[in-house]
Amino acid sequence: MTEKSNGVTATERLLAEFCERSFLKLWSYPNPYKDDGHELCDLLAVFGNYVFIFFDRKNELPEVSDKDPQVLWDRWKRNVIDRQIKTAHGAERYIRSGRPIFLNAKLEKQFPIVFDCDKAVIHKIVIAHGAMEACERASPQNIYGSLAISYSDTAKGSPHPFHIELDRHNPVHLFDSHNMPIVLQELDTVSDFSTYLDEKVRAVSVFDYLSYCGEEDLLGHYLLSYDAARKRHVIGPKEKGQINGVMIGEGEWHDFVRTELYKNTKNENRISYFWDELIQRTCQNSLDGTLGGDCDILRGESAIYEMVKEPRFMRRGLAEKMLTAVERFPETGDFTRQVTFLPSFEPNVGYVLLQLRTPDAFRAEPDYRGKRLTLLEIACGAAKNKFPQLVKVIGIGIDAPKFSGGTVAEDFILMPCKAWTDEMKTHYKELNREWNFFGTPALRQFTDRVTQFVPPPRLSRRSSSSKVGRNDPCPCGSGKKYKKCHG
């Protein structure tokens, strides 16, 4: 069983809850410690080569009429932001040094995730609480009370309150009370979150300055700027040119979340959390020490680890197809099996969903789960033989929900199969003779396209992120051309 802190302060507990509930349940640990007994950071999350170091600090910026507002601001910034940034740089140096990390101040239990310090991609994230109300009071143009951010070469400190200048050569991500929940809710998978932070670091390094009125506005700009050639969202212009800086104005996020495109996508994404439930249930069993099998989830050798990699829009597509397969399971036969193959977002990776209907007496046998797991392995091997380009197959085995009486227990298999010898091919071919997985005349193949944004039915069925041209009508329904509305 792995013991974890829940955070010390109210805002730390909120941060831990966001990370655990949304995208890093098994891979996030509040309040880790250095080998000298001092806290390393407020929360450390590690997934693969990605290391996320979170620092959370709250201190209310007071409204005192008889004191200089600039003096109050400078003091608040120094305590809440500047010191946390300095500590963040120190934490990165500590992690890079390879010194041990512990889960408690007594240094009894080491951090359970092993990663390569030299290859790690480290993102330092400071969350500053306490200035939102003062920021709203200071300017009626500030929609949310978010801190304005600029990355530049100088980063000497802005003379204006509520505007933070950061060093673009050693960037730290700065969130605040308003936009921290937005970012962690909108980018609630490891893939989506890390891809956004990577692109932000890239933009900061490419342009002489990057300036925006709030992190939520940068996020809105990012989601609305898709480079089809590079197949990813970008910050700044898609085309290379004589541009040395990017400024993003107030209201980008405010306008985006009011579009029908955004609202419909959020509605369509609800089904995707079925995928998250599968992951979270297994992760909790691992934390509780009740997970069976011999997989090593924390070190990446597991089906769950591969499932966590899927971005939100792909989870939507996978969940839809899985639930459709459950719904269409045949009604006839006391012993029935059905396999469904689903491609992953990761190249040359696929999922095999095996559903079984067996008599109650057969399911009650002590070795039933072992038999089901063996059958799932055969189905995964058959999938590799059917689709030879696969380098990994993830198997998910369940009793058909239609006939299991509401009891759900999943088996998972990860089959690495990049090296697939003739002997292995023949082995699984022989095992599959009795079952004929992916070889029956009833086999049907469908081609579907999953897009990140889903326009409402009355609008064009095109993804705004990848298919809407700058001169096309904007999918939000404003009647303007896309470049005028959101370009």
Side-chain angles (χ1 to χ4, degrees):
M1 182 172 179
T2 302
E3 296 181 3
K4 299 173 63 176
S5 166
N6 293 318
V8 178
T9 68
T11 56
E12 286 178 10
R13 288 191 290 272
L14 179 63
L15 172 63
E17 181 183 345
F18 268 116
C19 288
E20 291 207 357
R21 186 179 60 195
S22 59
F23 66 104
L24 288 169
K25 186 179 185 67
L26 193 60
W27 293 273
S28 63
Y29 293 83
N31 311 113
Y33 285 81
K34 298 183 290 184
D35 56 12
D36 61 2
H38 292 94
E39 267 194 5
L40 174 68
C41 59
D42 292 315
L43 188 143
L44 181 65
V46 177
F47 188 85
N49 287 332
Y50 279 98
V51 178
F52 306 97
I53 317 173
F54 289 89
F55 294 85
D56 183 279
R57 184 68 184 270
K58 181 176 182 179
N59 189 12
E60 292 296 331
L61 180 59
E63 182 182 16
V64 182
S65 58
D66 60 344
K67 291 189 177 181
D68 186 347
Q70 186 67 47
V71 172
L72 293 174
W73 163 254
D74 289 341
R75 183 182 302 152
W76 181 89
K77 176 178 172 291
R78 190 165 53 250
N79 291 330
V80 178
I81 296 177
D82 296 344
R83 289 178 180 173
Q84 298 300 302
I85 290 176
K86 183 178 179 180
T87 306
H89 293 319
E92 180 181 20
R93 288 192 297 271
Y94 183 91
I95 290 172
R96 294 284 187 198
S97 73
R99 291 163 64 185
I101 302 169
F102 296 88
L103 295 184
N104 54 35
K106 295 181 180 179
L107 313 184
E108 297 168 329
K109 292 190 177 182
Q110 281 200 318
F111 190 72
I113 306 175
V114 177
F115 58 93
D116 190 326
C117 302
D118 295 326
K119 295 181 180 179
V121 178
I122 297 180
H123 287 292
K124 295 159 288 189
I125 303 154
V126 172
I127 304 168
H129 300 278
M132 187 171 72
E133 293 182 359
C135 187
E136 288 176 327
R137 291 193 301 266
S139 172
Q141 281 76 41
N142 193 308
I143 297 176
Y144 295 122
S146 298
L147 297 172
I149 309 292
S150 293
Y151 290 89
S152 64
D153 290 320
T154 55
K156 294 179 179 178
S158 170
H160 307 291
F162 314 111
H163 180 202
I164 311 295
E165 287 193 353
L166 300 172
D167 181 5
R168 75 181 188 91
H169 297 290
N170 192 7
V172 172
H173 307 281
L174 179 61
F175 303 159
D176 58 41
S177 299
H178 173 73
N179 52 50
M180 182 271 283
I182 291 176
V183 173
L184 293 183
Q185 285 175 339
E186 294 298 322
L187 306 173
D188 60 350
T189 73
V190 176
S191 173
D192 292 316
F193 188 59
S194 61
T195 302
Y196 170 70
L197 296 185
D198 284 347
E199 172 58 19
K200 184 177 169 186
V201 170
R202 184 204 68 83
V204 167
S205 67
V206 168
F207 300 111
D208 292 342
Y209 65 89
L210 172 65
S211 182
Y212 47 92
C213 293
E215 191 74 30
E216 70 277 12
D217 291 318
L218 181 66
L219 177 60
H221 166 84
Y222 166 84
L223 292 175
L224 284 166
S225 303
Y226 187 83
D227 188 332
R230 288 181 280 179
K231 295 183 179 180
R232 61 182 176 86
H233 293 277
V234 295
I235 293 173
K238 301 172 192 175
E239 303 294 334
K240 293 182 179 179
Q242 302 300 316
I243 296 175
N244 62 352
V246 175
M247 296 185 66
I248 298 167
E250 181 84 20
E252 192 86 2
W253 179 254
H254 177 272
D255 294 341
F256 177 49
V257 297
R258 281 157 178 76
T259 64
E260 292 302 317
L261 175 69
Y262 174 84
K263 294 175 183 177
N264 189 63
T265 299
K266 295 296 285 185
N267 182 60
E268 294 286 334
N269 278 347
R270 288 185 300 175
I271 197 173
S272 71
Y273 291 93
F274 169 75
W275 191 262
D276 295 49
E277 290 171 11
L278 289 176
I279 295 170
Q280 297 284 44
R281 191 157 53 235
T282 306
C283 287
Q284 190 61 55
N285 290 338
S286 179
L287 288 170
D288 295 341
T290 59
L291 183 64
D294 57 359
C295 66
D296 192 346
I297 295 181
L298 290 176
R299 286 166 176 78
E301 297 298 323
S302 74
I304 294 298
Y305 181 86
E306 300 301 323
M307 292 172 68
V308 170
K309 293 180 181 179
E310 304 293 343
R312 177 57 55 201
F313 81 98
M314 196 65 191
R315 295 186 188 196
R316 183 205 320 136
L318 289 165
E320 283 178 348
K321 293 305 177 186
M322 284 185 67
L323 294 175
T324 298
V326 166
E327 204 174 285
R328 293 179 177 175
F329 190 86
E331 299 283 350
T332 58
D334 290 334
F335 193 103
T336 311
R337 82 286 190 289
Q338 184 184 74
V339 290
T340 305
F341 178 81
L342 302 167
S344 168
F345 181 74
E346 298 290 316
N348 300 322
V349 177
Y351 296 91
V352 170
L353 172 65
L354 171 66
Q355 297 182 77
L356 287 180
R357 181 189 183 187
T358 59
D360 293 342
F362 187 78
R363 286 207 309 275
E365 293 180 4
D367 61 347
Y368 170 68
R369 288 288 294 273
K371 291 178 179 178
R372 190 176 76 180
L373 197 61
T374 299
L375 198 58
L376 179 59
E377 180 187 345
I378 296 171
C380 290
K384 168 62 178 180
N385 283 341
K386 179 71 175 179
F387 309 106
Q389 77 277 10
L390 294 173
V391 297
K392 290 178 186 176
V393 179
I394 298 101
I396 305 172
I398 59 173
D399 292 329
K402 275 187 177 181
F403 306 101
S404 62
T407 302
V408 178
E410 305 90 2
D411 290 321
F412 297 96
I413 282 180
L414 172 63
M415 180 178 282
C417 51
K418 185 176 182 179
W420 196 249
T421 64
D422 290 340
E423 289 77 11
M424 297 171 73
K425 181 178 180 180
T426 301
H427 173 72
Y428 284 102
K429 183 178 180 181
E430 290 298 322
L431 290 176
N432 193 38
R433 285 190 186 280
E434 179 182 356
W435 304 100
N436 202 24
F437 290 126
F438 302 108
T440 65
L443 185 68
R444 296 289 182 270
Q445 184 171 336
F446 301 92
T447 301
D448 288 322
R449 185 166 179 265
V450 182
T451 59
Q452 180 167 0
F453 296 118
V454 187
R458 64 184 177 85
L459 298 179
S460 168
R461 301 301 297 179
R462 295 184 295 181
S463 167
S464 73
S465 66
S466 60
K467 286 296 183 181
V468 177
R470 288 175 59 77
N471 291 312
D472 291 335
C474 185
C476 73
S478 66
K480 302 177 182 177
K481 290 183 178 180
Y482 182 76
K483 66 179 181 180
K484 293 292 187 182
C485 193
H486 296 298

